Amino acid sequence: MTHPTRRGVIAGASSLAALSAGGAFAQSAPASPVMLNIIDVAGNLQLTQASIEKFAKDNPKLISRLNFSRAPSPELPAKLKAQQDANRVDIDMVLTGPGAMSDGIQQGLWVDVWKSHTASLPKAEEIYHEQALMMQRNFGQNEGVAVVYSPSGPLFEYMADKVKTVPKTAEEFLAYVKQNPNRFTYARPLNSGPGWTFLQGMPYILGDSDPTDPMNGWAKTWAYLKELGTAIDYYPTGTAATMKELGDGTRDCIVSTLGWDINPRALGIVPKEAKVFTIANTHWIPDTQFMCIPKGVAAAKIPVILALMSHLLKPDSQAATYDKGYFYPGPAIKGVTLAMAPQESQDVLKEFGRPEYDGLIASLPTRPPLTPERLVAAFRRWDQEIGVGHAPK
């Protein structure tokens, strides 16, 4: 998923000692330091890069160099598959959201780290909070290691001076969109956290027959999205474009999430005074970002990557993921509070967070996202039936 960027990530957030030379990991340490190529297709480096660099700095015998790159989520699986088919994998670790994660599981691209390297990772049930553990088991499965968590959405973000009467139900929202053509849009779900949660949240809002089955149980949802599309000129390829359009006045209302509401306002992309609303029967469709190891990575690098993954699940590294609200709240493990976060994060969330979010998080029910194979099917069907004919400008 493509996200707005900022000049730097919060540095110095992870002060926990890395694995020492005399620790259990020493037996698996590489003969010489390794270079790691890390690709981010989820905007995750905003939350983790400082902690990754801290680990490398503290462990010069393990890591000689870090190379970071970014790419759109939809492009990664095909790139990895081509590298694996040619036996020339040059990506060592992937930071990914639901799209590439699902495709990778479907295509067998990832190492099943939780099965093959159990002893090198912390026990999931001991470290993750309840909701992150649900995502790990239902979505990350054996291949992905959950690193950040958000209840996510769906939310609707709007400018109050443009939307005078806030819709309270799906029916009222559809009527608003049709009465105000081209003033609302959302990004292609395959490459957008808000689009992703909106797509999966609508079956619950509309009371579809089986919200877990997009092919046979979403009759109301597909009909609703098609009708909604009659008043939408185009669907941007990523969320950042929707935020920009809300900020510059092209749109009056867009689909959002907790983090996408807070962070772009903190960055000045969206006016601070923008507001949010939910509609009746909203269920949280949580979002989680994962760390994955592609099959074909050099054997000498695997223990180093696993040690890095474990480091990113330490409390100090997790506290840094509060960030500027980008994946609010952020931490996937138990017991990490905002008071543990860097002061900059605390200040941003005090100014741009919303008091009502704690209540919404506590009161709205949470449902797991679709299983990877069904999510891939839902993305494909959306592209073929909803997105078709609405090409980006």
Side-chain angles (χ1 to χ4, degrees), residues 72-101:
S73 176
E75 295 178 5
L76 181 69
K79 180 178 181 179
L80 265 181
K81 184 68 165 59
Q83 290 186 3
Q84 290 170 346
D85 288 347
N87 294 317
R88 297 184 64 178
V89 174
D90 65 6
I91 297 171
D92 302 312
M93 179 171 156
V94 175
L95 301 170
T96 177
M101 180 75 202

Side-chain angles (χ1 to χ4, degrees), residues 63-350:
I63 298 175
S64 61
R65 181 180 174 185
L66 293 169
N67 291 323
F68 296 107
S69 60
R70 295 168 176 80
S73 176
E75 295 178 5
L76 181 69
K79 180 178 181 179
L80 265 181
K81 184 68 165 59
Q83 290 186 3
Q84 290 170 346
D85 288 347
N87 294 317
R88 297 184 64 178
V89 174
D90 65 6
I91 297 171
D92 302 312
M93 179 171 156
V94 175
L95 301 170
T96 177
M101 180 75 202
S102 300
D103 258 351
I105 289 177
Q106 285 290 94
Q107 297 183 47
L109 304 182
W110 313 121
V111 173
D112 58 349
V113 291
W114 289 105
K115 291 179 65 177
S116 299
H117 302 285
T118 306
S120 298
L121 292 170
K123 292 184 178 179
E125 63 274 11
E126 292 181 359
I127 64 163
Y128 289 127
H129 58 68
E130 181 181 356
Q131 300 300 337
L133 184 61
M134 174 195 73
M135 291 293 285
Q136 177 61 61
R137 288 175 169 168
N138 288 287
F139 201 88
Q141 300 184 16
N142 292 317
E143 292 87 349
V145 177
V147 65
V148 289
Y149 170 87
S150 173
S152 197
L155 299 173
F156 297 93
E157 190 165 358
Y158 71 103
M159 300 308 299
D161 61 335
K162 301 290 183 62
V163 183
K164 302 295 186 181
T165 302
V166 175
K168 294 181 173 60
T169 66
E171 293 75 16
E172 289 180 6
F173 183 73
L174 178 61
Y176 156 74
V177 172
K178 295 185 74 171
Q179 290 164 9
N180 299 272
N182 303 334
R183 304 306 298 175
F184 164 80
T185 194
Y186 62 99
R188 182 189 182 202
L190 177 61
N191 198 41
S192 167
W196 181 76
T197 53
F198 175 61
L199 177 64
Q200 293 178 85
M202 287 310 300
Y204 293 100
I205 290 171
L206 295 170
D208 248 323
S209 61
D210 186 355
T212 70
D213 186 353
M215 302 310 289
N216 301 302
W218 285 19
K220 294 179 181 178
T221 294
W222 295 120
Y224 185 92
L225 294 177
K226 287 177 183 176
E227 188 67 16
L228 198 68
T230 62
I232 294 175
D233 51 351
Y234 86 107
Y235 301 101
T237 56
T239 315
T242 68
M243 295 292 158
K244 182 178 181 296
E245 292 190 359
L246 182 65
D248 68 19
T250 302
R251 307 290 174 178
D252 301 334
C253 181
I254 59 173
V255 170
S256 193
T257 58
L258 293 170
W260 272 104
D261 163 44
I262 296 171
N263 188 247
R265 289 189 298 116
L267 297 174
I269 297 168
V270 172
K272 183 180 180 179
E273 60 268 22
K275 297 185 179 299
V276 295
F277 66 88
T278 59
I279 55 179
N281 300 319
T282 291
H283 292 56
W284 292 118
I285 306 296
D287 199 357
T288 302
Q289 294 178 349
F290 298 89
M291 305 176 283
C292 302
I293 304 175
K295 291 179 180 177
V297 169
K301 294 185 176 184
I302 299 292
V304 177
I305 299 169
L306 293 168
L308 173 58
M309 288 178 167
S310 295
H311 171 74
L312 293 176
L313 294 175
K314 297 291 187 181
D316 281 6
S317 299
Q318 287 282 296
T321 66
Y322 276 100
D323 187 64
K324 292 183 178 178
Y326 151 73
F327 209 74
Y328 186 80
I333 70 170
K334 301 174 184 175
V336 180
T337 66
L338 180 58
M340 299 165 63
Q343 189 61 47
E344 182 184 9
S345 294
Q346 296 184 45
D347 293 344
V348 167
L349 291 172
K350 182 178 180 180

Side-chain angles (χ1 to χ4, degrees), residues 99 102-103 106 370-381:
S102 300
D103 258 351
Q106 285 290 94
L370 298 172
T371 59
E373 64 276 7
R374 290 188 172 184
L375 183 59
V376 170
F379 286 155
R380 185 180 301 116
R381 185 165 179 179

